[in-house]
Amino acid sequence: WDEPIPEIAPFTIKGELSHFYKTFTFFLSDRYVLAQERIAESFGESVSEAFNVLDMSLFFKPIDQITIGFAVDNILDENYYEHTGRPYKNLEESSLFYEPGRNFKLSLKFQF
C-alpha cells in the first residue's frame, strides 16, 4: 500500500527533575511529543500535532505512617490529544479524544 504502519506513536522526549529533602519530595516532569505526520490514511489516521505537558508533585511525610501529597497535572493547561487516542473509525478530526486540561490532586496515604 506504500504507506506507514498504522498506530505508530510519535517520537517522545521525557525528562524529570526530582529533589528529596528530609520529609519533602518534589517531582517536576516534562513530556514533549513531536507531531506525527507519517500516517496510514487507509486506517483512518490523521496528522497529530506536537504538544508539551508539564506536571508537578510534592509529597510531605510528617511521620513514617502518613504521606500528604499535592500534584498539578498539565500545569500549562495544554489542549492536546494523543496520536493513538481516537476511535478506530474513519471520522473527522472533531472525533478525537482530547486529554484533560489542568488537574489538581490532593492525597493522604496511611501505612500500617
Side-chain angles (χ1 to χ4, degrees):
W1 291 337
D2 195 28
E3 68 179 5
I5 296 172
E7 297 295 309
I8 299 297
F11 186 75
T12 302
I13 300 169
K14 295 180 181 181
E16 183 175 279
L17 176 66
S18 59
H19 182 69
F20 305 95
Y21 179 74
K22 296 182 182 178
T23 59
F24 287 97
T25 304
F26 173 77
F27 294 100
L28 184 66
S29 63
D30 186 36
R31 184 168 67 104
Y32 181 72
V33 178
L34 296 175
Q36 179 58 286
E37 297 174 355
R38 292 182 42 88
I39 59 170
E41 291 181 11
S42 64
F43 198 71
E45 287 187 317
S46 58
V47 173
S48 59
E49 299 177 6
F51 63 87
N52 186 45
V53 178
L54 188 63
D55 301 327
M56 183 272 307
S57 301
L58 178 64
F59 298 97
F60 172 61
K61 194 167 189 169
I63 59 176
D64 285 340
Q65 295 83 8
I66 296 177
T67 304
I68 301 167
F70 175 75
V72 181
D73 293 336
N74 196 358
I75 293 172
L76 304 174
D77 202 19
E78 181 81 18
N79 189 23
Y80 72 99
Y81 57 89
E82 300 285 350
H83 179 70
T84 56
R86 60 179 175 71
Y88 291 106
K89 295 181 181 176
N90 197 4
L91 299 173
E92 298 178 19
E93 185 176 339
S94 62
S95 68
L96 297 171
F97 297 126
Y98 283 86
E99 298 296 324
R102 186 179 306 123
N103 282 293
F104 297 93
K105 300 177 184 178
L106 185 61
S107 64
L108 180 60
K109 180 179 176 182
F110 295 99
Q111 293 178 317
F112 297 101

